[in-house]
Amino acid sequence: MSATVRELVDEAYDRRESTWRAALETVNDWVESVRAPSALLSGDRIRVVDGRIKDRLRTGEKLRRKLADANDEIHESVEVENQVIDVVGARVICRTEREQSALWDLLTEVSDDTNLSIAEVRDYSATPKPSGYRGRHLIVEVPFDSEPSVLVELQLRTIMQDAWCVLAEEQLFKPGQALKSDPQQERLSVILAGLMAQADSVAGYIADDVGAYLGMGNSAPPRAFAEADEPTDPAIEVTIRELNHSYVLAADEVGRHGIIRLETLGLTPDNPERSAFPHPGDKLQVRMDESNTTRYFIPVGHES
């Protein structure tokens, strides 16, 4: 890169890097606060990974290429961020496309509770890049009182989409001008992206199928329980073992484990009252209902 570009990039980093890191932390906190009320997005179903400030050399190289393509030049360090808007990058890894879509919907409906705003939306899941890359990006604007706002590129990827980046993009496309991928490598990268997209779809089908058993309100209807006027099975006592994103796991005194669906506790997966959740070690009186695939515990007084 030219000395002028290098000097402007260095000046921008020296002046703004601490603010960039503060903006990155703000976006990560925002994602955590948005996902917290959703049972579907609880636990490790989404993972906010360490973000990054783009390496100075890569920022300078990208800026040099962009200016050359536009036959343009810059003269102030403040223009570096305007030209390279992904200097600051945050990333979330979602288990499947279902979690990715749910989080995307929540994030793109920015509430009045935050002073953040969405500057740009880039949905590469709906329209993949020519390289095969899939993912969903938001350019989030983070304001500051005493200096210009910061743009943070927030990437939402599924596990499969992130794996493609590790296996293909980092090897073929990130080296930039230093290494040119040939047409055969590019074709293989697109094939790999398609295979991983199919794996994402299969994972989603599995999640939907399991979700139907757990009453998560997915495409397949949840299993219905037959009503009985006078229950004949005696109630048994179970101990709560684990709280998951859409169900409670419990065990009776002889060690049989069963699932307690949220709706039998008067809750829903999408809008649970967390204060109403039982805690590990709590005791409940339940009746047992078994199918060929699942054992359910139905709290006494909540049968449906």
Side-chain angles (χ1 to χ4, degrees):
M1 71 183 75
S2 69
T4 300
V5 169
R6 181 170 60 248
E7 290 169 359
L8 293 176
V9 169
D10 284 342
E11 182 182 339
Y13 274 72
D14 293 342
R15 181 173 52 86
R16 290 275 280 170
E17 188 165 2
S18 62
T19 304
W20 293 342
R21 296 196 181 280
L24 178 58
E25 184 176 346
T26 297
V27 169
N28 286 343
D29 290 344
W30 173 52
V31 174
E32 291 286 6
S33 67
V34 167
R35 77 91 165 253
S38 172
L40 177 60
L41 302 177
S42 65
D44 61 356
R45 302 195 72 82
I46 75 163
R47 182 166 53 92
V48 180
V49 302
D50 292 337
R52 59 101 183 105
I53 306 298
K54 190 184 289 289
D55 179 80
R56 294 186 185 212
L57 291 177
R58 290 179 63 174
T59 296
E61 183 63 25
K62 185 171 184 177
L63 177 58
R64 186 195 65 79
R65 293 197 306 269
K66 187 170 183 178
L67 293 175
D69 291 342
N71 192 25
D72 197 3
E73 58 183 25
I74 63 172
H75 304 283
E76 302 289 340
S77 64
V78 294
E79 298 178 77
V80 172
E81 292 174 74
N82 297 332
Q83 296 287 339
V84 185
I85 64 174
D86 63 343
V87 171
V88 187
R91 184 177 302 163
V92 179
I93 308 301
C94 307
R95 185 173 294 183
T96 69
E97 291 174 319
R98 180 178 59 179
E99 287 82 9
Q100 184 189 46
S101 294
L103 182 59
W104 176 263
D105 290 343
L106 292 173
L107 293 175
T108 51
E109 296 176 0
V110 179
S111 68
D112 295 333
D113 298 334
T114 178
N115 59 353
L116 305 180
S117 59
I118 305 299
E120 191 174 340
V121 174
R122 301 175 177 179
D123 191 350
Y124 298 118
S125 289
T127 307
K129 289 185 177 182
S131 65
Y133 173 80
R134 288 169 168 82
R136 293 180 171 183
H137 296 190
L138 296 174
I139 306 300
V140 183
E141 185 173 358
V142 183
F144 288 87
D145 292 335
S146 57
E147 54 185 310
S149 60
V150 175
L151 295 179
V152 178
E153 182 185 61
L154 173 58
Q155 300 177 346
L156 276 61
R157 298 176 182 169
T158 67
I159 292 174
M160 291 292 102
Q161 290 167 351
D162 192 60
W164 179 88
C165 291
V166 173
L167 295 172
E169 186 180 46
E170 293 292 336
Q171 299 296 325
L172 296 178
F173 302 104
K174 286 300 176 68
Q177 299 297 313
L179 177 64
K180 289 289 189 179
S181 56
D182 64 32
Q184 171 70 2
Q185 293 168 345
E186 293 174 359
R187 284 194 297 270
L188 291 175
S189 128
V190 173
I191 291 172
L192 180 62
L195 291 173
M196 288 185 159
Q198 290 184 12
D200 254 339
S201 296
V202 172
Y205 292 144
I206 293 172
D208 286 347
D209 195 46
V210 172
Y213 282 110
L214 302 180
M216 289 176 60
N218 293 301
S219 56
R223 180 175 177 272
F225 294 101
E227 294 187 9
D229 294 333
E230 295 291 336
T232 56
D233 293 335
I236 60 174
E237 184 177 76
V238 297
T239 302
I240 303 301
R241 298 297 188 195
E242 180 183 341
L243 307 180
N244 209 303
H245 69 284
S246 57
Y247 62 88
V248 176
L249 184 67
D252 66 10
E253 60 182 7
V254 296
R256 292 177 298 185
H257 285 74
I259 288 170
I260 302 175
R261 292 164 54 210
L262 291 186
E263 53 262 49
T264 64
L265 293 170
L267 308 172
T268 65
D270 293 330
N271 188 27
E273 292 290 340
R274 289 291 177 180
S275 60
F277 266 62
H279 300 282
D282 287 354
K283 307 288 186 181
L284 285 180
Q285 293 293 313
V286 302
R287 301 190 188 279
M288 187 164 61
D289 186 285
E290 292 187 281
S291 70
N292 291 332
T293 59
T294 311
R295 177 183 298 116
Y296 293 93
F297 292 142
I298 307 170
V300 173
H302 291 88
E303 290 97 336
S304 60

